[in-house]
Amino acid sequence: MSRLIMISNRLPVSVSKENGELSFHSSVGGVATGIASLEDPKERLWMGWPGLANDQINKKEAEKIKKELKSRGCIPLFLSEQDIEEFYAGFSNKTIWPLFHYFSTKSSFRDEYWNTYKQVNQAFCDEIVKHITPEDQVWIHDYQLMLLPGMLREKMPDADIGFFLHIPFPTFELIRHLPWRMEILEGILGADLVGFHEYDYVRHFLSSVYRIAGHEHHLSELVVGDRLVRVDAFPMGIDYYKYANSFDLPEVKAQVNNYSTNKELRLIISVDRLDYTKGILERLLAYNTFLTENPHYHGKVSLMIIAVPSRTKVDDYAELRDQIEVTVGRINGEFSTVNWIPIQYLYRSLPFDQLAALYNIADVALITPLRDGMNLVAKEFVACQEHREEQGILILSEMAGAASELGESLVINPFDHRKLVNAIKDALEMPDKERKRRNKLMQKRLSRYTVGHWAEDFLKRLKEIKNKQEYSVTRRFIRKHRAEATLNYATAEKRLLLFDYDGTLVPFFKLPEQAFPDEEILGILEKLTNDPRNQVVIISGRDKDTLEKWVGHFPLALVVEHGAYVRNENGKWETMVAPENDWKKIVRPIFELYVDRTPGSFIEEKVYSLVWHCRKSEPDLAKLRTQEVKNALVDMTSNLNIGVFEGNKIVEVKDIGANKGQSIINWAGSDDWDFIFCAGDDYTDEDMFNALPEKAISCKIGMGPSNAVYRLDSPFELRAFLKSLIE
């Protein structure tokens, strides 16, 4: 029976040790709540760090922890104090956290942090493969484990793997600062489904993947190796009715009575972890300006700051705490009276009953992070307003992920001091009818997309993408298939081997003239052509002079310019299409215009075609210009006997009488072959695959949908297979 395997840095059960005794405490987080509310009855297993360093426990205590956690459906992964310092406090929170929250100047790029981050991710991988089966669904969470999906994919190529990032994913301009950006992206792309809280993060991720790793997407789906990967937004919800109905709980009512001693005092609440990303200092300064400009509110309004301790040993956090406390003291010292203190400051976390009571009595919630992945506090506050007679209103930063769902709140730019000051005044003076109208729209939305719905939606999409993979991507040419092909090759007396050149026999280069054959592929071609049972044919879009210079000394056949010219194995050339090149006078000026407009692009001219190359251009610009070139040419050439084709970083215009499929019929159409193998990498090779007889083995090199039977990742994998044939 399949299970759901959850993997996160921390388990939903924390283990502590006091006076030599172990204690276990359940921590109710958003993810744990979502998983607990799933209707799917499948077994669930959770893996993560239990909260104690292995330096703090002995072997007997470790076994006790494992036994207790196993009874709670958890698998502990023990970390050393050094691991915690360099993996968690170091790379996760001194490198990734500030960079992904747009505080790049606070990021520390230290090799020892990175090396430990890799080691801990690998330790997670090594432990989890001991417990999972091919039928299980694996859901990996957050920035501490971004390498894990890729590592797990290597160990279990067919596993169902989802990954969710709970913090923002920043723009490409910030990701490029990271020395290990490629490894991080490749690690995340080991997942079948990659989830973020909002679409902006999806967009930034896809842009970085394209610019750095070279993977293009179509409607947020991309092919990585032989897998289709989906990237999507899943805005995390809350346990809505827990908060909406909280006022009816006796313990919450008791706290409300404790807080509501002064009915005339308007209450603004601010609830955050103490973190430089949360904008606490900025909102304090705005509140200071509000009090300065609105003396009639003195004695009538109070701001309660609840700052939950976080990463207290990190210098930046200790410094921020000092700044906040000094600012609170200064404002209170300036404005306080005998009967009134403008700011109440609590440096601690509050239990649910106290927090829910504050949500239920506050007139305004001031939630203005400078950057935040989601921010569930904003949603909790809105939910608590549902049954209130006089409802509170939310002031929310547009930099929080929740802003995309809570647009009816007072959404502001937290860096705009004036807008923040005005928002405080507008919120306090907003009529109750308007507050209710705004809240009702948000409450309806939040009640539908709860945290349970979020978890269910993600897992449903993961299942869908796994099903889609089976139908949309060519089968991988795995060891079993290669072994069968090698056996058929060994016993065949008459063999036909058909190869594209660029991207198939040799990898792509930024300049076409750099793609000359290296010693390895020359050695492979020599051995294949020396076997009298083999007929080797290279079919390419290249011009005949170049290919003859590079491989013409072998006894093989050449088909160049997509079938316009053919050379048999004896070296005799034949023209297959009569050249009609008047169309070049029309097309060349268009290409020249886009060369001028696209730095790094250039034109390649062949006898029967013109090619606009943009491999050296900036990726996003190249993508835009490619579509513009195609659109400009399609209408212009509709009455001519030519076609406009988009290839791998090229746009090619050529005579439609020349195509690879037509050119190989003279060879592949014969029934005399005992073994036929064909390999190609781009759209022009699809004509070849379609023209092959059913018994042929066709292989697509690289990503993308194809009519080929099999797929290999790269020219180097193809070379390895050809060597196995020779051997």
Side-chain angles (χ1 to χ4, degrees), residues 1 15 46 65 97 109 215 221-222 373 550 566 603 654 658:
M1 181 178 176
V15 184
W46 202 308
I65 290 172
W97 179 268
F109 304 110
H215 297 303
E221 292 181 351
L222 55 154
W550 284 349
V566 175
I603 302 170
K654 65 186 182 72

Side-chain angles (χ1 to χ4, degrees), residues 431-465:
D432 188 59
K433 183 177 180 181
E434 177 63 11
R435 293 177 178 224
K436 288 179 178 177
R437 184 191 71 80
R438 290 171 179 256
N439 286 337
K440 185 175 182 181
L441 294 169
M442 294 188 283
Q443 288 157 357
K444 188 174 181 181
R445 200 174 299 128
L446 295 179
S447 66
R448 287 197 308 267
Y449 203 87
T450 63
V451 66
H453 189 172
W454 167 80
E456 185 178 330
D457 191 15
F458 185 91
L459 295 172
K460 179 182 177 183
R461 298 286 182 178
L462 176 56
K463 186 175 181 180
E464 287 176 358
I465 197 65

Side-chain angles (χ1 to χ4, degrees), residues 577-616:
V577 180
E580 294 181 4
N581 289 333
D582 290 344
W583 56 267
K584 287 185 178 180
K585 297 176 183 177
I586 301 172
V587 171
R588 187 181 288 103
I590 302 298
F591 275 172
E592 289 172 347
L593 172 64
Y594 281 93
V595 166
D596 294 339
R597 296 182 63 197
T598 316
S601 67
F602 60 92
I603 302 170
E604 179 187 12
E605 182 165 359
K606 305 173 186 178
V607 175
Y608 293 130
S609 67
L610 283 175
V611 188
W612 180 76
H613 291 261
C614 57
R615 188 172 301 279
K616 294 173 62 181

Side-chain angles (χ1 to χ4, degrees), residues 7 19 21 29 38 63-64 83 110 155 284 291 299 355 381-382 402 495 517 555 563 587 602 605 612 623 646:
I7 310 175
N19 301 321
E21 294 293 323
L38 288 173
E63 290 303 316
K64 182 179 179 180
D83 290 337
R110 294 172 58 175
K155 299 271 184 144
L284 279 171
L291 292 177
L355 192 59
F381 174 79
V382 171
R495 310 159 180 151
V587 171
F602 60 92
E605 182 165 359
W612 180 76
K623 196 170 186 179
E646 179 183 353

Side-chain angles (χ1 to χ4, degrees), residues 351-620:
F352 171 76
D353 58 337
Q354 294 182 30
L355 192 59
L358 286 173
Y359 289 157
N360 275 282
I361 66 171
D363 298 279
V364 179
L366 191 55
I367 311 296
T368 56
L370 305 180
R371 187 72 59 169
D372 211 344
M374 173 49 71
N375 199 297
L376 298 181
V377 169
K379 295 185 175 185
E380 293 165 1
F381 174 79
V382 171
C384 282
Q385 309 311 303
E386 181 165 327
H387 300 301
R388 287 183 61 182
E389 188 62 35
E390 295 182 3
Q391 297 190 3
I393 192 67
L394 172 66
I395 300 174
L396 180 62
S397 165
E398 65 185 38
M399 305 299 179
S404 60
E405 298 173 85
L406 304 178
E408 291 79 14
S409 62
L410 293 178
V411 179
I412 54 93
N413 178 350
F415 297 96
D416 189 333
H417 181 79
R418 173 45 50 192
K419 288 287 179 64
L420 187 48
V421 172
N422 292 344
I424 295 173
K425 190 171 187 292
D426 292 343
L428 289 170
E429 296 176 356
M430 183 179 292
D432 188 59
K433 183 177 180 181
E434 177 63 11
R435 293 177 178 224
K436 288 179 178 177
R437 184 191 71 80
R438 290 171 179 256
N439 286 337
K440 185 175 182 181
L441 294 169
M442 294 188 283
Q443 288 157 357
K444 188 174 181 181
R445 200 174 299 128
L446 295 179
S447 66
R448 287 197 308 267
Y449 203 87
T450 63
V451 66
H453 189 172
W454 167 80
E456 185 178 330
D457 191 15
F458 185 91
L459 295 172
K460 179 182 177 183
R461 298 286 182 178
L462 176 56
K463 186 175 181 180
E464 287 176 358
I465 197 65
K466 291 302 291 186
N467 291 336
K468 192 172 182 179
Q469 285 174 355
E470 297 181 16
Y471 300 103
S472 61
V473 181
T474 307
R475 284 192 301 167
R476 185 168 176 74
F477 199 31
I478 60 175
R479 184 178 301 174
K480 173 186 174 183
H481 304 140
R482 293 199 298 266
E484 292 173 355
T486 303
L487 179 61
N488 292 338
Y489 177 89
T491 57
E493 289 299 320
K494 193 174 181 184
R495 310 159 180 151
L496 176 62
L497 304 170
L498 304 159
F499 304 112
D500 174 47
Y501 184 79
D502 293 280
T504 302
L505 293 178
V506 298
F508 284 110
F509 292 84
K510 288 192 173 181
L511 294 174
E513 60 268 25
Q514 294 174 337
F516 52 82
D518 54 70
E519 290 186 10
E520 182 181 46
I521 195 61
L522 289 173
I524 290 171
L525 290 174
E526 181 178 13
K527 290 176 181 177
L528 289 175
T529 55
N530 283 344
D531 190 326
R533 291 170 292 181
N534 291 343
Q535 169 68 70
V536 179
V537 184
I538 294 178
I539 308 100
S540 174
R542 282 188 175 271
D543 65 274
K544 65 186 183 71
D545 293 338
T546 299
L547 270 190
E548 188 163 48
K549 175 184 175 182
W550 284 349
V551 297
H553 53 287
F554 295 122
L556 49 72
L558 292 174
V559 179
V560 299
E561 297 205 25
H562 305 300
Y565 295 106
V566 175
R567 191 198 83 159
N568 62 29
E569 59 270 28
N570 297 319
K572 183 179 179 182
W573 284 99
E574 183 178 354
T575 302
M576 305 303 292
V577 180
E580 294 181 4
N581 289 333
D582 290 344
W583 56 267
K584 287 185 178 180
K585 297 176 183 177
I586 301 172
V587 171
R588 187 181 288 103
I590 302 298
F591 275 172
E592 289 172 347
L593 172 64
Y594 281 93
V595 166
D596 294 339
R597 296 182 63 197
T598 316
S601 67
F602 60 92
I603 302 170
E604 179 187 12
E605 182 165 359
K606 305 173 186 178
V607 175
Y608 293 130
S609 67
L610 283 175
V611 188
W612 180 76
H613 291 261
C614 57
R615 188 172 301 279
K616 294 173 62 181
S617 303
E618 195 279 329
D620 281 348

